[in-house]
Amino acid sequence: MKIIDVICAPGKTGFFFDDQLAIKKGAKNDGAFYIGEPVTPGFTAIRQAGEAISVLFVLENGAVAHGDCAAVQYSGAGGRDPLFLAKDFIPVIEKEIAPLYKGKEISSFKDMANMVDSKPYHTAIRYGVTQACLDAVAKSKNTLMAKVVASEFGGSVSDKLIPIFTQSGDDRYNNADKMIMKGADVLPHGLFNNVPEKLGMKGEKLKEYIEWLVARCIKLAPYPGYKPALHIDVYGTMSIAFDNQFEVIADFLGELEKAAGGHLLRIEGPVDMGSKAAQIDGLRIIREFVDKKGIHVEIVADEWCNTLEDVRDFTQAKAGHMAQIKTPDLGGVNNTIEAVLYCKQHGMGAYLGGTCNETNRSAEVCAHIAMGTSPDQILAKPGMGVDEGYMLVYNEMQRILALKNII
C-alpha cells in the first residue's frame, strides 16, 4: 500500500510553552500568565499557548494515518531544540519531509521511522512523523499499532493495563483527590520545585504532604486494598536543602519511606548536579546508599536524562532505579520503544513519560507503545487537569485490550 499524500494541520497542545530561564530569573505569575519579558529566543511571552502540527498520511485505500508533532513545556531550555511553532515548521515538513514519503510503499515501521529520525530535524518533527509512520504500518496491515510495535521489536502485547501515573501540577491537593477517585495506580507527581515554599528547608513540608496523601488514600480508597505507588518529583531541590550530602539525602529518603506507610515511594530528580556526568555520579551514589541501608525508595532519573543515549548511560551506571523516558525529547517514537526495552533488559525501571504539553494523539500513540513494550508505568497526558489525560491513556489501553485478539 502506498502513501498518496502528506498533509499538515496546525494544532494546539494540552498545556503551555514556558520560558524556563525567565521563570528562574524571577518572573511572577499574573493569573495563568507571567509578568515580564521573555528571555529564551523565539518566545513572544514568558508563557504562551502550546502548539502542535498534525501530520496526516493519506493512504491509497482512503485511510488516513495520523501523528502529532509536539515539544515539551520548557522548549529551548537545557540544550533542547528551539520553540516549536506551527508556522515555522509546517513549511519544513511540506518541503523536505513530505517528499520522503509521498508516493512511497509502506514498509516496516523501523525503516519508515529511520527515514526521518536519522536526519537532524527538530525533535518534535521526528516525534510526530514517526507516530504517523507507525499508524500507517498498522493501517496497511489492518492491525493495532501496539501489535506492530510488539512484532517488530520482538515482544508481545500486554494482557493488562500498564500502570498509569497521574500528575497534579501545583494543585497537589485537589488533584490528588481526583486521582484517588479514579483509582490511579501511581500518583501524584506534586511539582515540589521550590525549597522554602514546597519542599521545606529540610524537607519537612514534603514529609507532611506524604503523610497527608497516605491518610487521604485510606479515607477515600475507591476499593478495598487500594494502595497506589507514590511518585513525587522534587526537581533537584534536595541539592539545595541538603547541600548535596548524598548520605544525608539517603537518610532523609528513609524518613520519607516511613511517612509513606507501606506505599511504594518513588522520588524523581532528588538532586540536580549541573551536568550529565555529575548527575549520573550523584544518582549512582544515592542509589548505593539507599540500597545499602535497606531503604525501599526508588530514585527516578529525570534531569540530564533526555535522549536515548542518556537513558542508556544512566542505566549502565545504575544512576537511579528508574528512568523517565521523556517521549518528545527522544525524537522518533522508535527511540522511545528502544529506551523502554533497554531499561527492561538491563534492570532499570522504565517510566514511559513525556510532557503535559502534548496532544490527545501523541498520548494515544504512546498508549500503544506502552501496551507493546510493557514499561513499569505510563504518564497520563496531556494537561494538568488529571481527568482528561487519565481518560485518554486509560481508554486507549482498554480499547487495545478489547481488540488485541480480534485484529
Side-chain angles (χ1 to χ4, degrees), residues 39-360:
V39 177
T40 301
F43 279 81
T44 54
I46 296 174
R47 168 168 283 176
Q48 58 193 81
E51 297 189 15
I53 300 171
S54 288
V55 178
L56 310 169
F57 286 1
V58 182
L59 311 186
E60 62 180 333
N61 68 349
V64 177
H66 171 203
D68 276 358
C69 304
V72 297
Q73 175 186 5
Y74 296 121
S75 289
R80 293 185 176 98
D81 285 348
L83 187 67
F84 187 75
L85 302 178
K87 67 178 178 59
D88 295 333
F89 290 100
I90 285 179
V92 175
I93 297 172
E94 290 178 337
K95 293 176 184 177
E96 299 181 27
I97 294 171
L100 298 175
Y101 295 98
K102 189 173 178 179
K104 304 295 174 58
E105 287 282 347
I106 296 171
S107 56
S108 71
F109 165 65
K110 287 183 178 180
D111 288 344
M112 292 183 66
N114 189 59
M115 290 166 65
V116 66
D117 194 58
S118 62
K119 298 176 173 62
Y121 290 113
H122 195 293
T123 50
I125 289 178
R126 293 185 280 128
Y127 187 46
V129 173
T130 55
Q131 292 169 39
C133 291
L134 179 58
D135 193 22
V137 173
K139 284 185 165 61
S140 72
K141 296 177 180 294
N142 294 316
T143 192
L144 300 170
M145 288 183 282
K147 282 194 169 182
V148 173
V149 171
S151 174
E152 292 201 22
F153 290 85
S156 60
V157 178
S158 177
D159 290 323
K160 59 184 180 181
L161 296 179
I162 305 304
I164 300 174
F165 173 35
T166 45
Q167 56 182 339
S168 66
D170 268 324
D171 194 1
R172 64 187 62 83
Y173 293 95
N174 287 333
N175 275 345
D177 280 358
K178 296 180 184 180
M179 297 167 186
I180 295 167
M181 186 185 301
K182 285 182 160 53
D185 305 293
V186 189
L187 55 93
H189 186 270
L191 197 69
F192 283 82
N193 60 356
N194 176 285
V195 172
E197 295 176 11
K198 298 177 183 178
L199 187 81
M201 295 308 293
K202 291 299 176 184
E204 67 278 0
K205 292 185 178 180
L206 172 58
K207 186 177 178 181
E208 290 169 4
Y209 177 75
I210 291 173
E211 292 170 343
W212 173 87
L213 191 60
V214 169
R216 208 69 177 159
C217 287
I218 294 170
K219 179 180 180 180
L220 302 173
Y223 56 82
Y226 176 63
K227 207 162 194 175
L230 308 182
H231 182 138
I232 296 174
D233 193 346
V234 299
Y235 290 84
T237 50
M238 290 182 186
S239 280
I240 301 169
F242 300 104
D243 196 27
N244 282 330
Q245 299 177 75
F246 298 142
E247 187 168 7
V248 173
I249 290 171
D251 289 338
F252 176 65
L253 294 178
E255 294 180 32
L256 296 184
E257 179 192 5
K258 294 175 184 176
H263 291 254
L264 172 61
L265 179 63
R266 294 184 177 123
I267 298 296
E268 183 172 344
V271 295
D272 186 344
M273 302 303 296
S275 72
K276 177 181 169 181
Q279 185 75 356
I280 287 175
D281 204 41
L283 293 191
R284 177 186 59 78
I285 295 170
I286 294 171
R287 174 178 169 167
E288 287 175 354
F289 276 125
V290 165
D291 292 348
K292 182 178 179 180
K293 293 170 180 284
I295 297 167
H296 299 292
V297 175
E298 294 185 354
I299 308 301
V300 183
D302 180 13
E303 282 87 7
W304 303 98
C305 185
N306 298 315
T307 67
L308 174 57
E309 180 184 6
D310 294 341
V311 171
R312 288 171 174 160
D313 290 344
F314 275 75
T315 298
Q316 289 170 5
K318 296 187 176 181
H321 301 90
M322 172 179 277
Q324 185 192 167
I325 298 157
K326 292 177 275 192
T327 51
D329 281 338
L330 272 73
V333 294
N334 48 307
N335 298 318
T336 291
I337 297 165
E338 295 279 11
V340 171
L341 297 178
Y342 190 87
C343 286
K344 290 177 62 178
Q345 291 161 3
H346 293 84
M348 187 76 146
Y351 159 27
L352 202 166
T355 174
C356 52
N357 194 47
E358 295 191 49
T359 72
N360 59 312

